[in-house]
Amino acid sequence: MIKSKDKTLDLTTPQVMGILNVTPDSFSDGGHFLKFDHALKQVESMINDGASIIDIGGESTRPGAQLVTIEQELERVVPMIEAINSRFDCWISIDTSKAKVMTAAVSAGADLINDVRALQEPGALVAAALLNVPVCLMHMQGKPSSMQNSPEYDDIIVQINEFFKQRINACLQAGIQQAHIILDPGFGFGKTMEHNFKLIKHLKSFSKLGYPVLAGLSRKSMFDHLLSREPNQRLAASLAGAILCVQQGAKIIRVHDVKETVDVIKVLQATQ
Ligand code: 8Y7
């Protein structure tokens, strides 16, 4: 069970986090209202399909993506969070590394901070502690602009475990509740295809730290390297990855294809 504000999320069954694409410039051009409305419809269908968390990000963290300013990020995410919060009772996750965005997002109604930089940016630890909401600490080697340039590890499982222990300590020292910590090995963030598949195989070792594990593999390029498929042709591979992660103890699966992921998790749960 994780708690935020007046909400609780039961993690005894694995939960699905739906990805909301708030792409660069999507709201700042002439199609503002149309695109805003389209995004809200996407949220509604993800909730109807069984997503309990909606993850909203205004900064693209794809390899090689450009950085955005705080103003741009706020412009993209705050109105969307307010709109979702007033219409639906799902959990809202804010995908950001910036303390100011965390603070604005949580006041606008976000329930969870999803930080691919694991609260290492200036002010982020303090902001997250003050906001008193759950935080997902993701592992990344390097930074988005260069992380896929031949990433190397002596032992990726040991090193990510060490990273988690260090970040957990930093969180606890900053006053973040133990019950608010979620861990994520960060598939595709400074990892080769072999690294990513090794992470799936050994995912259970991260659950042993005693915190819920989140896994995000949806449509990632690890499947392209294995299968040579474009992102919109990676559904079957993503579902296989989701099942394997749940079998290895993951409690939250971050995906584009909510309906299909909920189905495969239900099939898996029926055998438990
Ligand atoms: C992840 C993520 C992305 C992930 C968490 C993509 C924002 C790249 N991937 N957050 N964000 N875990 N926690 O392909 O794996 O979705 S962006």
Side-chain angles (χ1 to χ4, degrees):
M1 195 80 94
I2 49 170
K3 293 190 177 140
S4 182
K5 301 176 173 178
D6 54 350
K7 293 176 186 169
T8 59
L9 196 58
D10 181 4
L11 297 180
T12 53
T13 56
Q15 300 294 312
V16 172
M17 170 188 270
I19 302 168
L20 182 66
N21 291 317
V22 188
T23 50
D25 306 321
S26 60
F27 299 142
S28 56
D29 59 19
H32 181 99
F33 289 110
L34 256 169
K35 284 177 177 166
F36 194 83
D37 197 53
H38 178 262
L40 273 179
K41 289 214 167 81
Q42 201 192 329
V43 170
E44 185 174 21
S45 59
M46 289 197 288
I47 292 169
N48 288 337
D49 289 341
S52 47
I53 310 169
I54 302 295
D55 189 40
I56 304 170
E59 178 206 9
S60 180
T61 32
R62 276 179 298 109
Q66 286 189 342
L67 296 177
V68 299
T69 65
I70 290 183
E71 290 70 30
Q72 287 172 313
E73 212 176 316
L74 288 173
E75 229 170 79
R76 288 173 193 172
V77 299
V78 169
M80 186 49 63
I81 292 170
E82 286 171 346
I84 298 172
N85 191 42
S86 67
R87 287 167 179 78
F88 308 107
D89 77 345
C90 61
W91 277 55
I92 301 172
S93 158
I94 175 67
D95 156 20
T96 191
S97 299
K98 299 188 183 81
K100 279 190 180 162
V101 178
M102 292 171 187
T103 304
V106 172
S107 355
D111 306 289
L112 187 156
I113 295 166
N114 175 27
D115 186 1
V116 300
R117 295 178 184 82
L119 305 179
Q120 294 178 99
E121 291 292 300
L125 266 177
V126 172
L130 273 173
L131 293 167
N132 196 29
V133 296
V135 293
C136 178
L137 307 171
M138 200 197 77
H139 174 271
M140 164 161 54
Q141 186 186 76
K143 47 185 183 348
S145 57
S146 56
M147 65 190 177
Q148 290 310 103
N149 302 341
S150 59
E152 282 181 42
Y153 298 83
D154 290 329
D155 183 329
I156 190 170
I157 307 303
V158 169
Q159 284 171 261
I160 294 182
N161 262 303
E162 286 305 313
F163 172 82
F164 284 151
K165 285 183 201 161
Q166 186 248 325
R167 293 318 297 154
I168 290 164
N169 270 335
C171 285
L172 298 177
Q173 295 248 312
I176 292 172
Q177 293 184 50
Q178 197 155 15
H180 274 165
I181 296 174
I182 299 167
L183 304 175
D184 180 346
F187 289 97
F189 286 83
K191 282 116 190 162
T192 63
M193 181 184 79
E194 289 77 14
H195 290 141
N196 288 312
F197 285 105
K198 191 167 183 185
L199 281 181
I200 299 182
K201 184 174 172 187
H202 295 282
L203 201 67
K204 205 166 250 161
S205 83
F206 306 126
S207 296
K208 288 186 181 146
L209 291 171
Y211 300 88
V213 168
L214 185 154
L217 313 119
S218 189
R219 303 184 189 175
K220 284 193 175 169
S221 60
M222 57 193 282
F223 301 124
D224 183 36
H225 295 136
L226 186 72
L227 308 165
S228 297
R229 299 216 188 278
E230 292 302 308
N232 66 0
Q233 297 298 313
R234 296 177 196 161
L235 175 59
S238 301
L239 294 175
I243 300 176
L244 290 165
C245 287
V246 170
Q247 285 186 315
Q248 289 289 326
K251 299 297 182 196
I252 303 173
I253 307 292
R254 180 180 179 277
V255 299
H256 302 87
D257 305 285
V258 172
K259 189 179 183 185
E260 293 84 353
T261 308
V262 169
D263 277 1
V264 297
I265 291 175
K266 279 189 183 161
V267 171
L268 188 59
Q269 289 300 110
T271 67
Q272 301 302 295

